[in-house]
């Protein structure tokens, strides 16, 4: 379904579509060809995955080339086998590291973790730098480069764009392990090609001289086991791996192929011998096919430093974004508020996801938040809600767009804009329509208009206002007064200045409650992070953040004994107490202690007893079956942030943004 779904989602705004088509057996490509009808064909890498589905390599190449039967151009890494099979009527554009007859000849050089790539063709000779060093990423980047060259981008733009590449969500994760070890976690796949990539990566992570590979049986090779394990063995030798730990029936049978090798029939056998394997001072690559569940091995080897983490579900963020998008007219643009570190959830990672989803704008509170996003490579336009006069230079330098809310601010910004001879620098005009926080008022309109009229250094990109009561129907009348005033003032500005800026008024609750006031754009905030101010809407949102910790210690106290500072909890019977390493310094309100709040352990509620300490809290686990080291949930599905907020007489915004930066954020995708 993937290919047709992608094709269907092309619309009139697009001028380029990129499709990835893979095959695992003969006669799959014809169908894809008629659906995609590509103008340009790119052959990335002819690897060994799915070799078992084809008679030989030529058949596989032939099948791949069927996709490009009607293409105008094929871009590929020069390769004799492909050359022989390509239809000579189709234009080709090839590159190579070693074949001088290729259209583009490439050489590379790794320096300080980056790769310098020298490009030579009939027309030019230049160098680019890419922020990767493993072979697969470098080859992918060269493929992109070839496309840019074929589109005739100039050298300077190519160099500029290449340096903005960043590593995509990696299957290979580097983690700190027990006893001074570094783990490379690739517990999701095991085919020969990906083993090569992983070993390449292992080589680049030169932490320790000793290298161990924990390897499961290998699948999808198309070779006989005899040949396959000989090749694996050669790879292991050439990568100077000190020892191999094989897990699985097949690899056990080929143990003799490896020099220093122990094997186990299965994971349970491995765990029985875990302590004798003496993992220490080495880099360990853990690589196994999914069903071997090597994540359990990773868990056993991983250093347990981060006991408290805020896990962020990126799928849930996408879901929530789409939920609010579905409430908008197709033409309404979307600004997403990522102020205060994405409402406590994470800055760059979330901005990157939003960029992927093609939202139109990001909003931050202060210039430095916007600068760190720009520095991290975010390209979306960013509006700064609260630009201080002292930050105007930095705003201009980093192409941020200030919200201007007073004549004083406008004049100060214009002064700098004129000094720098700026033309049409985008600014956003904020109107105060009743919130009485920031914004121009009705009485400022004439002066605002006359200043803007004679000024070409700035351009009013948008006009906005903010509602005070969008979440509360008892103030409906007031909300409509705000909408009417916004309408009137913004219309006046537009008419008298003859401009057509983007108008926007609604936050999350506004999107739900005042759909008629969408204007040209809305500003989504809390809803993206999985919290709605309306109970009936909450069920359509997915939970984004789960704050997790573990049980440090469990003890049993007798009736009359107390827990914590000030003896604020006194046991009335024999009571089992668990201590959790999270406290008010991590952002858990002290009001949540002393019997008010609870955490969830193995699906059951554990009431917080005594006062919450700076770095710890204690819970009653008398009725809960649990052990030291067990994982616990502070908030997430239960208790929800909204429930905590209602009990603590505050709002979810405060709870989310209070979680301290010392709590590590871990982003994941399901
Ligand atoms: C924070 C903010 C928003 C988003 O509000 P939510 O209630 O989180 O959706 C929108 N506009 C402005 C001006 C804001 O400051």
């Amino acid at each position: 379904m993937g290919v047709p779904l992608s094709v269907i989602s092309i619309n009139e705004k697009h001028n380029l579509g990129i499709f990835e088509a893979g095959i695992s057996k003969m006669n799959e490509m014809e169908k894809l060809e008629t659906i995609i009808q590509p103008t340009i064909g790119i052959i990335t890498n002819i690897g060994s995955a799915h070799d078992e589905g084809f008679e030989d390599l030529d058949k596989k190449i032939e099948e791949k080339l069927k996709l490009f039967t009607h293409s105008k151009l094929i871009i590929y890494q020069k390769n004799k086998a492909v050359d022989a099979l390509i239809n000579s009527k189709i234009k080709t554009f090839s590159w190579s590291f070693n074949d001088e007859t290729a259209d583009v000849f490439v050489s590379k050089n790794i320096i300080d973790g980056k790769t310098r790539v020298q490009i030579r063709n009939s027309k030019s000779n230049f160098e680019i730098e890419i922020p990767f060093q493993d072979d697969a990423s470098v080859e992918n980047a060269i493929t992109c480069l070839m496309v840019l060259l074929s589109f005739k981008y100039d050298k300077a733009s190519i160099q500029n764009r290449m340096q903005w590449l960043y590593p995509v969500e990696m299957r290979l994760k580097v983690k700190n392990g027990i006893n001074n070890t570094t783990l490379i976690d690739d517990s999701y796949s095991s085919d020969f090609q990906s083993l090569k990539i992983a070993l390449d990566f292992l080589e680049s992570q030169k932490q320790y001289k000793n290298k161990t590979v924990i390897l499961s049986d290998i699948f999808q090779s198309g070779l006989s086991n005899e040949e396959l394990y000989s090749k694996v063995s050669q790879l292991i030798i050439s990568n100077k791996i000190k020892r191999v730990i094989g897990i699985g029936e097949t690899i056990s049978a080929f143990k003799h192929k490896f020099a220093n090798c122990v094997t186990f029939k299965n994971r349970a056998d491995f765990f029985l011998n875990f302590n004798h394997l003496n993992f220490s001072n080495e880099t360990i690559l853990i690589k196994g096919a999914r069903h071997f569940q090597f994540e359990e091995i990773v868990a056993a080897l991983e250093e347990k430093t981060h006991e408290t983490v805020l896990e962020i579900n990126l799928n849930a963020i996408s879901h929530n974004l789409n939920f609010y998008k579905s409430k908008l007219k197709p033409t309404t643009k979307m600004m997403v508020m990522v102020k205060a570190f994405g409402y406590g959830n994470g800055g760059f990672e979330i901005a990157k996801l939003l960029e992927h989803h093609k939202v139109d704008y990001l909003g931050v509170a202060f210039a430095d938040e916007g600068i760190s996003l720009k520095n991290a490579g975010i390209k979306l336009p960013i509006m700064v809600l609260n630009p201080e006069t002292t930050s105007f230079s930095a705003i201009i330098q980093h192409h941020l767009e200030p919200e201007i809310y007073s004549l004083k601010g406008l004049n100060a910004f214009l002064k700098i804009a004129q000094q720098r001879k700026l033309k049409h620098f985008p600014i956003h005009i904020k109107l105060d329509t009743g919130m009485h926080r920031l914004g121009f008022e009705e009485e400022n309109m004439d002066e605002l208009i006359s200043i803007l009229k004679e000024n070409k250094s700035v351009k009013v990109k948008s006009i906005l206002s903010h509602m005070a009561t969008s979440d509360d129907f008892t103030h409906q009348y007031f909300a409509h007064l705000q909408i009417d005033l916004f309408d009137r003032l913004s219309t006046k500005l537009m008419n008298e200045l003859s401009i057509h800026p983007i108008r926007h008024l609604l936050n999350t609750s506004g999107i739900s409650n005042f759909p008629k006031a969408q204007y040209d754009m809305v500003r989504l905030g809390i809803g993206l992070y999985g919290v709605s101010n309306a109970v009936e809407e909450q069920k359509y949102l997915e939970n984004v953040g789960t704050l997790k910790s573990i049980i440090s210690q469990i003890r049993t106290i007798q009736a009359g004994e107390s827990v914590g500072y000030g003896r604020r909890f006194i046991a009335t019977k024999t009571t089992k107490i668990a201590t959790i390493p999270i406290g008010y310094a991590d952002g858990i309100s002290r009001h949540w202690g002393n019997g008010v709040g609870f955490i969830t352990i193995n699906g059951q509620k554990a009431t917080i007893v005594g006062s919450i300490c700076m770095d710890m809290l204690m819970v009653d686990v008398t009725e809960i079956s649990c052990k030291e080291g067990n994982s616990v949930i502070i908030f997430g599905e239960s208790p929800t942030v909204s429930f905590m907020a209602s009990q603590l007489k505050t709002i979810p915004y405060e709870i989310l943004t209070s979680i301290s930066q010392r709590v590590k954020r871990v982003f994941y995708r399901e």
Side-chain angles (χ1 to χ4, degrees):
M1 291 299 285
V3 166
L5 282 176
S6 308
V7 173
I8 289 166
S9 58
I10 299 185
N11 66 36
E12 61 284 348
K13 280 193 283 186
H14 298 134
N15 55 19
L16 183 75
I18 304 177
F19 299 86
E20 184 192 19
I23 43 171
S24 56
K25 52 182 197 288
M26 291 298 286
N27 304 322
E28 286 187 307
M29 219 36 128
E30 265 120 324
K31 290 191 200 102
L32 296 179
E33 200 273 335
T34 56
I35 301 171
I36 307 175
Q37 301 172 22
T39 4
I40 301 178
I42 299 171
I43 304 174
T44 49
N45 181 314
I46 302 186
S48 57
H50 303 298
D51 269 358
E52 70 276 18
F54 303 89
E55 240 172 78
D56 56 30
L57 186 65
D58 279 0
K59 281 271 175 299
K60 189 171 171 183
I61 295 173
E62 229 170 77
E63 179 71 17
K64 288 196 181 221
L65 283 170
K66 281 186 193 160
L67 180 58
F68 307 134
T69 315
H70 299 99
S71 299
K72 297 208 174 75
L73 174 69
I74 296 181
I75 295 174
Y76 71 111
Q77 180 173 11
K78 193 139 184 83
N79 169 332
K80 297 240 151 49
V82 176
D83 282 342
L85 294 165
I86 276 186
N87 175 350
S88 59
K89 290 197 191 93
I90 302 175
K91 244 180 86 184
T92 60
F93 188 43
S94 63
W95 67 276
S96 179
F97 281 128
N98 42 42
D99 187 342
E100 300 258 2
T101 65
D103 299 300
V104 177
F105 189 71
V106 180
S107 53
K108 63 172 181 175
N109 200 354
I110 295 175
I111 299 164
D112 291 337
K114 294 181 175 177
T115 304
R116 293 242 175 96
V117 183
Q118 190 71 37
I119 293 119
R120 204 169 72 203
N121 65 9
S122 55
K123 291 195 202 76
S124 59
N125 190 344
F126 64 101
E127 195 177 85
I128 57 166
E129 193 172 274
I130 35 189
F132 311 110
Q133 47 181 343
D134 65 287
D135 289 345
S137 304
V138 171
E139 284 186 22
N140 286 338
I142 293 174
T143 297
C144 297
L145 170 103
M146 291 293 288
V147 175
L148 293 176
L149 284 174
S150 80
F151 281 150
K152 307 228 178 328
Y153 278 82
D154 60 86
K155 184 175 96 180
S157 355
I158 294 179
Q159 284 165 328
N160 179 30
R161 285 171 192 218
M162 283 293 166
Q163 69 180 3
W164 283 110
L165 290 171
Y166 71 98
V168 283
E169 162 79 321
M170 281 192 302
R171 205 169 42 185
L172 298 161
K173 292 191 219 100
V174 183
K175 300 175 170 171
N176 289 329
I178 53 170
N179 310 329
N180 289 322
T181 55
T182 297
L183 312 181
I184 297 180
D185 174 5
D186 189 4
S187 50
Y188 305 102
S189 70
S190 111
D191 56 86
F192 187 71
Q193 201 66 28
S194 73
L195 177 63
K196 262 167 98 171
I197 294 170
L199 287 170
D200 196 34
F201 186 69
L202 179 64
E203 174 59 24
S204 71
Q205 297 285 318
K206 284 201 186 83
Q207 283 257 22
Y208 299 103
K209 213 168 117 244
N210 288 342
K211 292 182 277 187
T212 293
V213 173
I214 304 179
L215 189 63
S216 76
D217 293 347
I218 294 177
F219 299 110
Q220 295 182 345
S221 80
L223 299 174
S224 74
N225 282 334
E226 186 67 34
E227 273 177 284
L228 170 66
Y229 286 98
S230 299
K231 282 181 79 175
V232 172
S233 163
Q234 282 161 20
L235 209 54
I236 295 284
I237 294 167
S238 64
N239 280 280
K240 303 199 179 61
I241 304 301
K242 178 94 177 289
R243 66 170 165 170
V244 175
I245 298 172
I247 300 177
E249 302 271 347
T250 320
I251 196 164
S252 294
F254 289 90
K255 180 178 170 181
H256 58 276
K257 296 258 179 206
F258 302 93
N260 181 11
C261 179
V262 277
T263 56
F264 303 98
K265 289 261 174 325
N266 52 42
R267 219 174 53 244
D269 258 5
F270 166 84
F271 276 116
L272 283 178
N273 292 279
F274 189 84
N275 291 332
H276 305 297
L277 291 166
N278 290 325
F279 293 104
S280 70
N281 299 305
E282 60 195 316
T283 306
I284 307 167
L285 170 67
I286 300 125
K287 177 138 188 72
R290 205 173 273 273
H291 81 264
F292 281 89
Q293 295 182 341
F294 275 11
E295 59 272 16
E296 290 192 16
I297 297 180
V298 174
L301 284 168
E302 207 174 348
E303 195 185 32
K304 309 285 181 293
T305 47
H306 297 293
E307 292 166 335
T308 299
V309 295
L310 181 57
E311 287 185 353
I312 309 295
N313 181 347
L314 295 173
N315 295 85
I317 291 187
S318 304
H319 169 91
N320 297 337
L321 178 71
N322 288 332
F323 172 74
Y324 285 100
K325 260 191 191 163
S326 75
K327 292 179 169 280
L328 303 180
K329 291 174 291 186
T331 50
T332 307
K333 294 184 191 313
M334 173 85 88
M335 174 185 282
V336 178
M337 306 311 289
V338 293
K339 58 196 184 198
F341 196 58
Y343 288 45
N345 292 275
F348 169 68
E349 296 80 0
I350 290 176
K352 200 71 217 171
L353 180 67
L354 294 169
E355 196 160 70
H356 172 77
H357 283 294
K358 302 202 164 35
V359 307
D360 300 278
Y361 257 95
L362 296 179
V364 296
F366 298 103
D368 55 355
E369 297 176 323
I371 292 170
S372 52
L373 292 178
K374 287 282 182 186
N375 283 343
I378 298 297
K379 293 287 195 292
L380 281 175
I382 301 177
M383 183 182 84
V384 182
L385 288 168
N386 218 332
E388 290 135 323
T389 318
T390 49
S391 67
F392 282 162
S393 299
I395 285 184
I396 293 169
Q397 188 194 337
H398 291 92
H399 306 287
L400 300 170
E401 304 179 10
E403 171 187 297
I404 300 292
Y405 54 81
S406 68
L407 292 169
K408 187 160 154 270
L410 178 62
N411 287 324
F413 191 77
L414 284 174
K415 200 168 144 201
I416 297 186
Q418 283 152 2
Q419 277 166 3
R420 306 215 172 174
K421 304 202 168 34
L422 299 181
K423 282 238 153 29
H424 310 301
F425 193 90
I427 62 168
H428 302 262
I429 297 292
K430 173 75 153 286
L431 304 176
D432 179 7
T433 54
M435 176 81 176
H436 296 336
R437 191 169 66 176
L438 295 177
F440 291 95
E441 292 177 34
E442 183 154 25
E443 64 193 44
N444 307 130
M445 283 301 114
D446 291 336
E447 196 172 349
L448 174 62
I449 288 166
S450 79
I451 295 175
L452 288 174
K453 238 182 199 158
E454 58 199 46
N455 216 298
K456 293 280 165 288
S457 54
V458 295
K459 174 184 172 171
V460 179
K461 193 71 191 288
S462 86
I463 303 175
L464 69 148
S465 188
H466 194 49
M467 293 172 74
T469 62
S470 65
D471 60 340
D472 184 354
F473 271 118
T474 56
H475 292 290
Q476 230 186 117
Y477 180 71
F478 184 80
H480 283 292
L481 286 182
Q482 277 201 276
I483 296 172
D484 293 344
L485 185 57
F486 179 66
D487 211 84
R488 195 153 52 76
L489 297 186
S490 59
T491 306
K492 182 178 162 92
L493 277 177
M494 290 178 8
N495 287 345
E496 300 212 10
L497 293 168
S498 308
I499 53 172
H500 304 280
I502 301 168
R503 287 195 287 175
H504 47 121
L505 178 63
L506 303 178
N507 65 346
T508 302
S509 311
I511 297 173
S512 309
N513 296 337
F514 299 94
K516 291 210 175 76
Q518 280 175 28
Y519 291 95
D520 311 299
M521 182 158 80
V522 296
R523 299 187 303 272
L524 179 66
I526 193 87
L528 183 80
Y529 309 100
V531 177
S532 167
N533 295 314
V535 182
E536 60 288 4
E537 192 172 88
Q538 186 63 49
K539 60 174 181 283
Y540 297 107
L541 299 181
E542 285 182 9
N543 181 57
V544 170
T546 303
L547 183 58
K548 284 186 168 174
S549 191
I550 60 149
I551 299 177
S552 306
Q553 197 178 29
I554 296 180
R555 76 187 65 253
T556 301
I557 60 170
Q558 303 306 324
E561 292 190 287
S562 65
V563 173
Y565 287 120
R567 306 196 69 199
R568 291 185 195 98
F569 174 79
I570 311 259
T572 53
K573 57 179 195 320
T574 304
T575 305
K576 203 164 72 164
I577 299 291
T579 303
I580 317 296
I582 182 169
Y584 59 78
D586 298 291
I588 307 302
S589 165
R590 277 184 83 251
H591 300 293
W592 193 232
N594 292 314
V596 176
F598 68 91
I599 67 172
T600 301
I601 304 178
N602 296 331
Q604 286 176 275
K605 284 184 190 181
T607 303
I608 301 175
V609 293
S611 289
I612 292 179
C613 312
M614 186 185 289
D615 310 302
M616 279 172 272
L617 56 82
M618 283 71 83
V619 292
D620 181 347
V621 291
T622 311
E623 305 297 331
I624 300 176
S625 110
C626 57
K627 295 199 299 261
E628 291 177 356
N630 279 175
S631 169
V632 308
I633 293 174
I634 316 297
F635 66 63
E637 298 281 359
S638 168
T640 62
V641 171
S642 300
F643 177 76
M644 281 177 84
S646 69
Q647 299 299 300
L648 292 169
K649 303 200 169 43
T650 179
I651 50 175
Y653 301 69
E654 186 180 0
I655 299 200
L656 283 176
T657 55
S658 296
I659 301 307
S660 150
Q661 284 301 312
R662 85 175 181 188
V663 175
K664 191 181 163 196
R665 270 68 172 172
V666 177
F667 300 87
Y668 71 97
R669 203 180 276 280
E670 277 159 352

